[in-house]
Amino acid sequence: AYREAAGILGRSAITTFVLPGDNDINDCDDVSHGESMWLEHLHRFDERWDHPFDVRRWGTLDESFTFVHRRVLYFAVNIVGGEPHSRTEKERRHREHLAQIRGTLSEIEDGDFDVMVLLGHAEPSRHHRDFFRGRDGFYSIVAEVGKPTLHLHGDRHEYYEQPGSDELGLDNYMVISLDGESIAPPIRIEIDVSRKSPITVSRVRKGLDVDCCSRGWPPSEEL
């Protein structure tokens, strides 16, 4: 399955980045084998293309990375849904990712980006409270940065939108869960920082609606 997935993704005309998901590692009968197969076939997948992105990888966490492109700061991190195969490993990995995110923000100028994007498999569930919540968690980072932040994940295998304002009081944070299992086409996201509401989302197929962002997000009155 890993080889087949790599073959399909490798035919893409555009640069493709791959992050781990629960079916790749956590849900495997043999976690070590799943991890080794992911590393063999999908690790650093973008390097198959000659692309312009200045990707910064995070040492021993080099499946995770960051880059700035057209004034958008991307964080792509190994946060995997489902039951953790090792709580100790998961908590250590989450701490290291938060440290890397904060380290990146301390090294770049605030004026170098206008939008922040978090890419990762997991939704903000009970297994990931240590990453998202708390004084040093990602929600605190979003509040401190104060810029529109889009979090995309594939944990539920079904589309939903969850504004951060609903529960967290974060008007600048939006969670979008992506459709899975080939039930819908890939969504299209445009980020144009020259617009007052820079993030536009389309689910491409007629009848698949987007409530939050079809005409831009955040709404100009929230900025």
Side-chain angles (χ1 to χ4, degrees), residues 15-28:
T15 305
T16 301
F17 294 87
V18 181
L19 291 168
D22 55 354
N23 298 147
D24 300 318
I25 299 174
N26 277 359
D27 295 344
C28 295

